[in-house]
Amino acid sequence: MIETTRTFTPDWVSPPGDTIADILEERDWTQVQLAERLGYTTKHISLLINGKAPINEETALKLERVLGSTTAFWLNREAQYRAGLARIEEENRLKGWTSWLDQLPVKELMNQGVIPKCRLIAKNKPGLVKKLLQFFGVASPEDWQNYYAGMEVAFRRTREEQSDVGAISTWLRLGEIKAEQLDSPKYTKPKFEKAVRQIRTLTVLPPEEFEPQMQKLCWEAGVVLVLIPSIKRAHVSGVARWLNPHKALIQLSLYGKTNERFWFNFFHEAAHILLHDKENIFLDEWNSGESLKSKQERQADKWSREFLIPPEYEGELTKLKSENDVIDFAERISIHPGIVVGRLQHDHLIDPSWMNGLKLRKSIFKA
């Protein structure tokens, strides 16, 4: 395992008063004498030497005149001391926050290179807490709870199993970071509607051709499209959300093994952007297990389903009995045959094991 780099960070700091005391000893002065020379009370000198009273600009000027060195030296000495105290306090806080790590997919983030690899032992945990606070862009686990875990009230889920808020918020944050690097134009609904229609024509292309084109088309309409590998226990295939009133995000995890799921997920999320409000965060998983479909989810499902295979063609689906039939039909309506196979399987018109050779596998996609 690669250990995090550890620097020498002593659990003590020397106050500027130590330097003052050393000079007094060299000159054989008492604190009373120093108080008289500086124009301070002996109590204030005692507080100064013990680090209880700070050295401000006025005191630094007086120390320069009475003890020597420079004003900058005394102010820097004070600043270093206060920074050292803050560091020790911070380390103590980080030690008290290590239980927060249990809520997060720490090892997976290590494997993805988001945080340094190290053993999850006591001496490394405070450093990991600090790295993860920086990753989430929050000051404390409480602030993470209020912001990211607090997003849970806005989640519109499709399954009960989406209960690991730590995993979900980590996946969402990875998408945010990637989206923050892209300064897109303001969202325009007509442009996005046009972009979505153009993207449908790309389903017949291989990923290395359609991915950059669909990302560009979305970006030009004010929608950032990012592909983020799935996080264990998040059970999320995609999300549609608004990063601000003018910038939308579609984030796909490639959760699922084949291209028809990828395309259904994309158009499902696009439907949320086009049809629904900007307040909710729509988390979606490929339909599996107990469904928690809201009205908005049912609308997005219907929109995606009918956008890929328009209703006027549905009557022909029952007549598709061979791979050649599917290929001919897909070519006629300008979509990939794997999408048609997925629809036939979903509607129980063919067995789930049939015609899977017409689908493209997940391994061909890049994240």
Side-chain angles (χ1 to χ4, degrees):
M1 282 287 188
I2 301 172
E3 293 287 351
T4 52
T5 302
R6 296 180 61 82
T7 56
F8 175 63
T9 53
D11 58 359
W12 51 267
V13 288
S14 171
D18 287 352
T19 303
I20 295 172
D22 289 342
I23 295 173
L24 292 182
E25 185 176 354
E26 289 175 2
R27 299 185 182 184
D28 199 20
W29 288 0
T30 65
Q31 290 187 22
V32 173
Q33 290 174 305
L34 179 62
E36 291 172 347
R37 290 173 181 270
L38 289 174
Y40 289 143
T41 64
T42 54
K43 179 179 180 181
H44 187 74
I45 294 300
S46 176
L47 292 172
L48 202 62
I49 289 176
N50 288 290
K52 300 296 178 61
I55 295 177
N56 56 27
E57 289 83 354
E58 179 188 358
T59 303
L61 286 166
K62 288 184 175 184
L63 289 171
E64 177 183 347
R65 291 194 290 267
V66 174
L67 298 182
S69 194
T70 64
T71 300
F73 167 81
W74 291 110
L75 289 175
N76 287 337
R77 188 75 171 81
E78 175 69 22
Q80 290 169 358
Y81 172 61
R82 298 300 166 185
L85 289 179
R87 175 182 52 76
I88 291 173
E89 291 174 3
E90 171 73 351
E91 289 176 353
N92 289 333
R93 281 193 294 268
L94 292 174
K95 288 177 182 177
W97 291 338
T98 54
S99 61
W100 177 53
L101 297 176
D102 297 335
Q103 301 181 53
L104 302 172
V106 177
K107 290 187 177 179
E108 188 150 0
L109 287 173
M110 288 182 186
N111 292 333
Q112 291 192 21
V114 176
I115 56 176
K117 283 189 175 183
C118 67
R119 289 182 296 161
L120 282 172
I121 55 178
K123 71 174 183 178
N124 292 335
K125 286 185 176 182
L128 288 172
V129 170
K130 184 175 182 178
K131 289 289 185 184
L132 286 165
L133 290 174
Q134 292 170 337
F135 165 71
F136 282 107
V138 294
S140 70
E142 182 179 0
D143 295 315
W144 171 84
Q145 182 72 31
N146 291 336
Y147 185 77
Y148 281 98
M151 282 183 177
E152 189 174 11
V153 299
F155 291 170
R156 292 296 179 266
R157 296 172 170 166
T158 57
R159 288 184 62 185
E160 287 285 4
E161 288 84 346
Q162 289 175 336
S163 57
D164 193 321
V165 177
I168 293 172
S169 63
T170 298
W171 183 75
L172 290 175
R173 180 57 180 158
L174 288 168
E176 286 175 0
I177 292 172
K178 200 166 182 178
E180 286 166 0
Q181 300 167 0
L182 303 172
D183 187 17
S184 67
K186 289 185 178 180
Y187 172 76
T188 305
K189 185 174 182 179
K191 282 188 177 180
F192 188 52
E193 288 174 333
K194 181 179 178 181
V196 170
R197 290 194 297 270
Q198 290 178 271
I199 288 170
R200 184 184 180 280
T201 68
L202 303 180
T203 65
V204 297
L205 299 179
E208 62 270 17
E209 293 184 31
F210 73 65
E211 282 183 27
Q213 290 188 58
M214 69 186 296
Q215 287 178 322
K216 183 174 184 293
L217 287 166
C218 287
W219 179 86
E220 290 173 343
V223 178
V224 177
L225 171 65
V226 298
L227 306 181
I228 302 295
S230 60
I231 295 286
K232 291 179 181 177
R233 305 196 310 273
H235 301 291
V236 178
S237 62
V239 67
R241 57 188 293 210
W242 290 84
L243 299 175
N244 59 54
H246 308 294
K247 186 177 183 179
L249 170 67
I250 291 178
Q251 183 174 335
L252 301 178
S253 70
L254 306 182
Y255 186 82
K257 298 179 179 180
T258 50
N259 68 324
E260 96 282 5
R261 294 191 176 191
F262 172 84
W263 287 116
F264 184 88
N265 289 339
F266 169 76
F267 290 114
H268 178 99
E269 305 308 338
H272 283 311
I273 300 298
L274 291 169
L275 302 178
H276 301 137
D277 62 72
K278 298 183 178 182
E279 302 299 323
N280 290 316
I281 299 171
F282 293 97
L283 285 172
D284 297 295
E285 185 181 41
W286 185 254
N287 190 21
S288 174
E290 185 64 27
S291 176
L292 295 175
K293 297 284 186 180
S294 65
K295 177 181 178 181
Q296 295 102 318
E297 291 301 333
R298 291 192 297 271
Q299 287 175 337
D301 275 352
K302 183 175 185 293
W303 192 93
S304 180
R305 173 188 174 97
E306 294 181 353
F307 188 75
L308 285 167
I309 300 179
E312 60 264 31
Y313 296 104
E314 288 186 3
E316 299 183 42
L317 294 176
T318 58
K319 303 174 183 177
L320 304 179
K321 302 300 183 183
S322 69
E323 290 191 358
N324 286 335
D325 291 341
V326 169
I327 293 170
D328 291 341
F329 176 77
E331 185 175 353
R332 186 152 49 86
I333 67 171
S334 301
I335 61 171
H336 194 280
I339 297 172
V340 180
V341 173
R343 174 65 176 274
L344 294 173
Q345 292 174 344
H346 182 267
D347 290 356
H348 306 292
L349 297 175
I350 63 172
D351 188 272
S353 64
W354 289 8
M355 303 190 196
N356 287 320
L358 293 179
K359 299 178 182 180
L360 295 180
R361 308 301 295 177
K362 173 185 174 181
S363 59
I364 65 173
F365 294 99
K366 306 187 298 294

